[in-house]
mmCIF file of all heavy atoms in Angstrom:
data_model
loop_
_atom_site.group_PDB
_atom_site.id
_atom_site.type_symbol
_atom_site.label_atom_id
_atom_site.label_comp_id
_atom_site.label_asym_id
_atom_site.label_seq_id
_atom_site.Cartn_x
_atom_site.Cartn_y
_atom_site.Cartn_z
ATOM 1 N N GLU A 154 30.474 10.088 -71.544
ATOM 2 C CA GLU A 154 31.844 10.551 -71.687
ATOM 3 C C GLU A 154 31.834 12.036 -72.064
ATOM 4 O O GLU A 154 30.840 12.546 -72.559
ATOM 5 C CB GLU A 154 32.578 9.741 -72.753
ATOM 6 C CG GLU A 154 32.819 8.294 -72.354
ATOM 7 C CD GLU A 154 31.583 7.409 -72.521
ATOM 8 O OE1 GLU A 154 30.809 7.669 -73.470
ATOM 9 O OE2 GLU A 154 31.377 6.502 -71.687
ATOM 10 N N LYS A 169 7.046 10.064 -55.133
ATOM 11 C CA LYS A 169 5.965 10.501 -56.001
ATOM 12 C C LYS A 169 5.393 11.818 -55.499
ATOM 13 O O LYS A 169 5.358 12.070 -54.296
ATOM 14 C CB LYS A 169 4.869 9.440 -55.951
ATOM 15 C CG LYS A 169 3.751 9.608 -56.932
ATOM 16 C CD LYS A 169 2.814 8.416 -56.845
ATOM 17 C CE LYS A 169 1.799 8.430 -57.963
ATOM 18 N NZ LYS A 169 0.931 9.613 -57.956
ATOM 19 N N ARG A 209 5.113 13.656 -64.924
ATOM 20 C CA ARG A 209 3.989 14.064 -65.784
ATOM 21 C C ARG A 209 3.607 15.462 -65.361
ATOM 22 O O ARG A 209 3.326 15.689 -64.178
ATOM 23 C CB ARG A 209 2.776 13.154 -65.559
ATOM 24 C CG ARG A 209 2.570 12.095 -66.605
ATOM 25 C CD ARG A 209 1.257 11.372 -66.361
ATOM 26 N NE ARG A 209 0.164 11.977 -67.115
ATOM 27 C CZ ARG A 209 -1.122 11.661 -66.938
ATOM 28 N NH1 ARG A 209 -1.472 10.772 -66.033
ATOM 29 N NH2 ARG A 209 -2.045 12.241 -67.661
ATOM 30 N N ASN A 210 3.601 16.356 -66.297
ATOM 31 C CA ASN A 210 3.206 17.745 -66.005
ATOM 32 C C ASN A 210 3.914 18.268 -64.764
ATOM 33 O O ASN A 210 3.301 18.837 -63.872
ATOM 34 C CB ASN A 210 1.678 17.831 -65.853
ATOM 35 C CG ASN A 210 1.185 19.258 -65.946
ATOM 36 O OD1 ASN A 210 1.925 20.161 -66.359
ATOM 37 N ND2 ASN A 210 -0.070 19.480 -65.561
ATOM 38 N N LYS A 211 5.204 18.050 -64.730
ATOM 39 C CA LYS A 211 6.113 18.568 -63.683
ATOM 40 C C LYS A 211 5.998 17.848 -62.340
ATOM 41 O O LYS A 211 6.684 18.228 -61.387
ATOM 42 C CB LYS A 211 5.897 20.071 -63.448
ATOM 43 C CG LYS A 211 6.216 20.968 -64.637
ATOM 44 C CD LYS A 211 6.271 22.431 -64.236
ATOM 45 C CE LYS A 211 6.543 23.321 -65.425
ATOM 46 N NZ LYS A 211 5.512 23.284 -66.477
ATOM 47 N N SER A 216 8.389 6.926 -60.213
ATOM 48 C CA SER A 216 9.175 6.045 -61.083
ATOM 49 C C SER A 216 10.542 6.678 -61.345
ATOM 50 O O SER A 216 10.749 7.859 -61.094
ATOM 51 C CB SER A 216 8.412 5.815 -62.388
ATOM 52 O OG SER A 216 8.125 7.042 -63.022
ATOM 53 N N ASN A 230 32.123 7.771 -81.212
ATOM 54 C CA ASN A 230 31.099 7.030 -81.922
ATOM 55 C C ASN A 230 30.975 5.631 -81.314
ATOM 56 O O ASN A 230 31.885 4.809 -81.437
ATOM 57 C CB ASN A 230 31.437 6.945 -83.414
ATOM 58 C CG ASN A 230 30.253 6.438 -84.205
ATOM 59 O OD1 ASN A 230 29.503 5.586 -83.730
ATOM 60 N ND2 ASN A 230 30.079 6.965 -85.407
ATOM 61 N N PRO A 231 29.857 5.345 -80.654
ATOM 62 C CA PRO A 231 29.749 4.058 -79.946
ATOM 63 C C PRO A 231 29.826 2.847 -80.871
ATOM 64 O O PRO A 231 30.283 1.792 -80.459
ATOM 65 C CB PRO A 231 28.360 4.127 -79.283
ATOM 66 C CG PRO A 231 28.037 5.575 -79.189
ATOM 67 C CD PRO A 231 28.685 6.203 -80.391
ATOM 68 N N GLN A 232 29.388 2.998 -82.096
ATOM 69 C CA GLN A 232 29.312 1.816 -82.962
ATOM 70 C C GLN A 232 30.230 1.870 -84.178
ATOM 71 O O GLN A 232 30.313 0.914 -84.929
ATOM 72 C CB GLN A 232 27.854 1.591 -83.410
ATOM 73 C CG GLN A 232 26.965 1.047 -82.283
ATOM 74 C CD GLN A 232 27.305 -0.386 -81.881
ATOM 75 O OE1 GLN A 232 27.291 -1.307 -82.683
ATOM 76 N NE2 GLN A 232 27.666 -0.590 -80.622
ATOM 77 N N ASP A 235 35.701 6.540 -84.847
ATOM 78 C CA ASP A 235 35.535 7.979 -84.761
ATOM 79 C C ASP A 235 36.857 8.666 -85.066
ATOM 80 O O ASP A 235 37.862 8.027 -85.364
ATOM 81 C CB ASP A 235 34.963 8.390 -83.398
ATOM 82 C CG ASP A 235 35.820 7.903 -82.242
ATOM 83 O OD1 ASP A 235 37.060 7.945 -82.343
ATOM 84 O OD2 ASP A 235 35.243 7.466 -81.238
ATOM 85 N N GLU A 258 45.412 0.094 -70.936
ATOM 86 C CA GLU A 258 45.004 0.870 -72.104
ATOM 87 C C GLU A 258 46.170 1.751 -72.572
ATOM 88 O O GLU A 258 46.897 2.284 -71.746
ATOM 89 C CB GLU A 258 43.810 1.761 -71.688
ATOM 90 C CG GLU A 258 43.318 2.727 -72.725
ATOM 91 C CD GLU A 258 42.756 2.047 -73.956
ATOM 92 O OE1 GLU A 258 41.792 1.282 -73.813
ATOM 93 O OE2 GLU A 258 43.315 2.252 -75.077
ATOM 94 N N ASN A 263 40.490 6.754 -73.999
ATOM 95 C CA ASN A 263 39.565 5.762 -73.459
ATOM 96 C C ASN A 263 39.501 5.806 -71.935
ATOM 97 O O ASN A 263 38.670 5.134 -71.326
ATOM 98 C CB ASN A 263 39.948 4.372 -73.956
ATOM 99 C CG ASN A 263 39.800 4.280 -75.464
ATOM 100 O OD1 ASN A 263 39.011 5.021 -76.050
ATOM 101 N ND2 ASN A 263 40.580 3.413 -76.098
ATOM 102 N N GLU C 1334 8.317 5.006 -68.797
ATOM 103 C CA GLU C 1334 6.934 4.588 -68.729
ATOM 104 C C GLU C 1334 6.507 4.034 -70.093
ATOM 105 O O GLU C 1334 7.125 4.330 -71.114
ATOM 106 C CB GLU C 1334 6.038 5.767 -68.343
ATOM 107 C CG GLU C 1334 6.250 6.237 -66.913
ATOM 108 C CD GLU C 1334 7.481 7.117 -66.755
ATOM 109 O OE1 GLU C 1334 7.786 7.878 -67.692
ATOM 110 O OE2 GLU C 1334 8.167 7.017 -65.705
ATOM 111 N N LYS C 1349 35.654 -3.431 -69.391
ATOM 112 C CA LYS C 1349 36.235 -2.769 -70.561
ATOM 113 C C LYS C 1349 36.683 -3.822 -71.578
ATOM 114 O O LYS C 1349 37.093 -4.916 -71.204
ATOM 115 C CB LYS C 1349 37.457 -1.988 -70.089
ATOM 116 C CG LYS C 1349 38.081 -1.073 -71.111
ATOM 117 C CD LYS C 1349 39.197 -0.286 -70.458
ATOM 118 C CE LYS C 1349 39.695 0.792 -71.378
ATOM 119 N NZ LYS C 1349 40.278 0.281 -72.631
ATOM 120 N N GLY C 1387 29.528 4.590 -73.198
ATOM 121 C CA GLY C 1387 30.110 3.353 -72.702
ATOM 122 C C GLY C 1387 30.839 2.542 -73.760
ATOM 123 O O GLY C 1387 31.509 1.560 -73.428
ATOM 124 N N ARG C 1389 33.142 2.666 -77.731
ATOM 125 C CA ARG C 1389 33.759 3.338 -78.870
ATOM 126 C C ARG C 1389 33.987 2.273 -79.914
ATOM 127 O O ARG C 1389 34.633 1.260 -79.625
ATOM 128 C CB ARG C 1389 35.126 3.919 -78.497
ATOM 129 C CG ARG C 1389 35.137 5.391 -78.212
ATOM 130 C CD ARG C 1389 36.560 5.871 -77.988
ATOM 131 N NE ARG C 1389 37.173 6.330 -79.241
ATOM 132 C CZ ARG C 1389 38.458 6.623 -79.372
ATOM 133 N NH1 ARG C 1389 39.274 6.478 -78.329
ATOM 134 N NH2 ARG C 1389 38.937 7.037 -80.527
ATOM 135 N N ASN C 1390 33.468 2.493 -81.076
ATOM 136 C CA ASN C 1390 33.673 1.548 -82.175
ATOM 137 C C ASN C 1390 33.361 0.114 -81.738
ATOM 138 O O ASN C 1390 34.133 -0.809 -81.966
ATOM 139 C CB ASN C 1390 35.102 1.671 -82.707
ATOM 140 C CG ASN C 1390 35.258 1.022 -84.072
ATOM 141 O OD1 ASN C 1390 34.262 0.675 -84.715
ATOM 142 N ND2 ASN C 1390 36.493 0.830 -84.509
ATOM 143 N N LYS C 1391 32.247 -0.045 -81.078
ATOM 144 C CA LYS C 1391 31.710 -1.344 -80.642
ATOM 145 C C LYS C 1391 32.440 -1.978 -79.461
ATOM 146 O O LYS C 1391 32.081 -3.074 -79.033
ATOM 147 C CB LYS C 1391 31.689 -2.355 -81.791
ATOM 148 C CG LYS C 1391 30.822 -1.972 -82.965
ATOM 149 C CD LYS C 1391 30.625 -3.153 -83.912
ATOM 150 C CE LYS C 1391 29.759 -2.779 -85.092
ATOM 151 N NZ LYS C 1391 30.302 -1.724 -85.956
ATOM 152 N N SER C 1396 33.193 2.146 -68.878
ATOM 153 C CA SER C 1396 32.328 3.199 -68.309
ATOM 154 C C SER C 1396 30.871 2.776 -68.442
ATOM 155 O O SER C 1396 30.541 1.850 -69.172
ATOM 156 C CB SER C 1396 32.585 4.515 -69.031
ATOM 157 O OG SER C 1396 32.380 4.372 -70.421
ATOM 158 N N ASN C 1410 3.753 13.707 -71.045
ATOM 159 C CA ASN C 1410 4.580 14.890 -71.172
ATOM 160 C C ASN C 1410 5.173 15.242 -69.809
ATOM 161 O O ASN C 1410 4.469 15.638 -68.895
ATOM 162 C CB ASN C 1410 3.740 16.060 -71.711
ATOM 163 C CG ASN C 1410 4.643 17.205 -72.122
ATOM 164 O OD1 ASN C 1410 5.668 17.455 -71.494
ATOM 165 N ND2 ASN C 1410 4.253 17.882 -73.184
ATOM 166 N N PRO C 1411 6.496 15.098 -69.668
ATOM 167 C CA PRO C 1411 7.111 15.294 -68.356
ATOM 168 C C PRO C 1411 6.946 16.708 -67.811
ATOM 169 O O PRO C 1411 6.888 16.897 -66.593
ATOM 170 C CB PRO C 1411 8.598 14.994 -68.599
ATOM 171 C CG PRO C 1411 8.633 14.156 -69.826
ATOM 172 C CD PRO C 1411 7.474 14.609 -70.664
ATOM 173 N N GLN C 1412 6.857 17.684 -68.685
ATOM 174 C CA GLN C 1412 6.851 19.062 -68.195
ATOM 175 C C GLN C 1412 5.545 19.813 -68.488
ATOM 176 O O GLN C 1412 5.391 20.957 -68.059
ATOM 177 C CB GLN C 1412 8.053 19.837 -68.761
ATOM 178 C CG GLN C 1412 9.382 19.440 -68.133
ATOM 179 C CD GLN C 1412 9.490 19.872 -66.668
ATOM 180 O OE1 GLN C 1412 9.420 21.046 -66.335
ATOM 181 N NE2 GLN C 1412 9.623 18.906 -65.768
ATOM 182 N N ASP C 1415 -0.603 16.604 -70.494
ATOM 183 C CA ASP C 1415 -0.700 15.749 -71.671
ATOM 184 C C ASP C 1415 -2.145 15.312 -71.867
ATOM 185 O O ASP C 1415 -3.043 15.710 -71.125
ATOM 186 C CB ASP C 1415 0.230 14.539 -71.551
ATOM 187 C CG ASP C 1415 -0.015 13.736 -70.293
ATOM 188 O OD1 ASP C 1415 -1.199 13.534 -69.937
ATOM 189 O OD2 ASP C 1415 0.966 13.305 -69.666
ATOM 190 N N GLU C 1438 -3.057 7.366 -55.093
ATOM 191 C CA GLU C 1438 -3.271 7.924 -56.421
ATOM 192 C C GLU C 1438 -4.666 7.571 -56.918
ATOM 193 O O GLU C 1438 -5.150 6.471 -56.670
ATOM 194 C CB GLU C 1438 -2.213 7.320 -57.370
ATOM 195 C CG GLU C 1438 -2.347 7.677 -58.816
ATOM 196 C CD GLU C 1438 -2.157 9.155 -59.082
ATOM 197 O OE1 GLU C 1438 -1.065 9.670 -58.786
ATOM 198 O OE2 GLU C 1438 -3.117 9.805 -59.570
ATOM 199 N N ASN C 1443 -1.030 6.937 -63.674
ATOM 200 C CA ASN C 1443 0.215 7.249 -62.968
ATOM 201 C C ASN C 1443 0.820 6.033 -62.287
ATOM 202 O O ASN C 1443 1.922 6.091 -61.758
ATOM 203 C CB ASN C 1443 -0.033 8.376 -61.967
ATOM 204 C CG ASN C 1443 -0.436 9.651 -62.680
ATOM 205 O OD1 ASN C 1443 -0.073 9.853 -63.838
ATOM 206 N ND2 ASN C 1443 -1.207 10.499 -62.010
#
Side-chain angles (χ1 to χ4, degrees):
Chain A
E154 292 79 34
K169 189 175 189 299
R209 259 187 93 190
N210 196 13
K211 296 193 182 62
S216 57
N230 192 324
Q232 287 291 303
D235 57 40
E258 175 64 60
N263 296 334
Chain C
E1334 292 79 34
K1349 189 175 189 298
R1389 260 185 91 190
N1390 196 12
K1391 298 192 180 62
S1396 57
N1410 192 324
Q1412 287 291 300
D1415 55 42
E1438 175 64 61
N1443 296 333

